[in-house]
Amino acid sequence: MSELRSAIFLDFDNLLSGLRDGAGPEFALRFAEQPELWLTPLLADRPRRALLRRCYLNPAGALEDGAGSRLRFAEFRWAFMAAGFEVVDCPRLTRLKNAADLRIALDAMEAMLSPLARLDEFILLSTDSDFVPLLQRLRAADRRTRLVAHPEVGRVVRAAADEVIGLDELAGWLGWQPAREAGEAFGAPDAADLLAVVRDILLEAEAPVHVPHLGQMLRNRTGATLRGSDFAGTGSLDALLTAAGGFIRREGPGGGHVWRPEWLDQPPASAEAS
């Protein structure tokens, strides 16, 4: 079997939140502090050289370690550099997300077209469905693609990649084991967990959040959808927002926007873009 020449593109913030919500902060922290634990099995299924390794992160982001401490993503930079990654800072450019997905798409296309060395395989670590066009473009250029994403990733995303590795499998490389006797599954949060994720998303926001954007971010972080979870068991979006902390929805196109109560007296200048 010939040796594959591979490139790895890691959307750090996205993968870390997926692991945190699916397996817990202990395994998310292990992913960030010891990348060799998951990188070795990721590359070991066949002969390959990972010629290009890039990790895209927001240095100002933070992870709750489960013991009350918040660890800045910048603290994990050296672990990834020690594993051979180039770390690319992607601070927030919009109010809710950084530009990692756009940077990855541009860099992957540049790498594919580079005359310096032909890359046979592109490995993307992200649960973001925005990468479907990139995956399709790489396939059309006769490149093999591997996607590490949430185990419940949609059929359209799954069909765009040659191989999909679930975050549950990656978490297993880190030592996570599902409590099968309790019916526990990766990324299948209960209602309280979903409420907590919705609360986190809205507290991180700096402007009102478009309802479809809220649903997409919930899906990216947990694998659950607003309607599919019956709005975290509350029965309606408004009931969910009330239970999550008294957030308020204002009507508008696409379901409107969600506001934090403190914005009602001094509303932000503009709503979060759809």
Side-chain angles (χ1 to χ4, degrees):
M1 183 181 297
S2 61
E3 184 178 66
L4 286 175
R5 300 157 70 90
S6 302
I8 303 173
F9 296 91
L10 166 61
D11 186 344
F12 179 85
D13 302 30
N14 183 286
L15 255 286
L16 197 71
S17 64
L19 283 169
R20 178 199 64 197
D21 297 333
E26 173 189 353
F27 298 98
L29 183 61
R30 196 172 298 174
F31 169 86
E33 291 185 330
Q34 303 178 69
E36 65 280 358
L37 292 180
W38 55 266
L39 183 61
T40 298
L42 178 67
L43 301 176
D45 65 304
R46 61 184 298 172
R48 60 166 52 85
R49 291 181 64 203
L51 301 179
L52 180 62
R53 306 178 186 191
R54 286 185 182 159
C55 171
Y56 301 76
L57 62 77
N58 173 14
L63 171 69
E64 297 279 355
D65 66 359
S69 299
R70 288 173 60 84
L71 303 174
R72 293 290 181 185
F73 292 170
E75 298 180 38
F76 306 127
R77 177 189 307 274
W78 303 111
F80 280 86
M81 292 177 65
F85 281 83
E86 174 189 356
V87 178
V88 181
D89 285 346
C90 293
R92 285 184 182 176
L93 296 182
T94 63
R95 291 181 175 86
L96 275 178
K97 62 186 297 185
N98 60 33
D101 52 357
L102 181 58
R103 288 289 304 271
I104 289 173
L106 291 172
D107 288 355
M109 289 297 297
E110 181 180 15
M112 184 192 75
L113 297 171
S114 173
L116 298 179
R118 175 186 166 87
L119 291 167
D120 307 309
E121 178 185 60
F122 287 74
I123 304 173
L124 303 182
L125 291 88
S126 176
T127 62
D128 197 329
S129 60
D130 291 346
F131 285 117
V132 167
L134 173 62
L135 291 167
Q136 293 172 334
R137 181 65 181 85
L138 291 169
R139 173 181 286 168
D142 193 26
R143 291 339 193 250
R144 185 174 188 270
T145 57
R146 303 177 85 197
L147 178 66
V148 178
H150 195 280
E152 299 299 325
V153 67
R155 289 186 297 173
V156 172
V157 181
R158 186 174 294 274
D162 294 313
E163 179 185 359
V164 177
I165 298 171
L167 276 184
D168 53 346
E169 182 175 352
L170 187 148
W173 298 336
L174 298 169
W176 176 78
Q177 294 182 343
R180 300 188 186 283
E181 67 278 3
E184 179 185 337
F186 185 94
D190 59 22
D193 291 335
L194 290 175
L195 286 171
V197 173
V198 169
R199 186 181 303 113
D200 287 346
I201 292 170
L202 295 173
L203 290 177
E204 290 168 6
E206 297 177 9
V209 181
H210 197 212
V211 169
H213 193 180
L214 174 62
Q216 180 183 359
M217 293 188 72
L218 181 68
R219 168 76 179 185
N220 286 345
R221 294 193 183 190
T222 70
T225 64
L226 288 170
R227 292 187 182 278
S229 66
D230 192 26
F231 300 97
T234 64
S236 72
L237 176 60
D238 291 329
L240 167 63
L241 296 175
T242 299
F247 302 103
I248 300 162
R249 177 166 64 101
R250 287 191 167 177
E251 296 291 344
H257 288 77
V258 179
W259 291 58
R260 296 215 299 261
E262 63 266 29
W263 289 341
L264 296 179
D265 294 330
Q266 296 181 330
S270 61
E272 177 68 24
S274 304

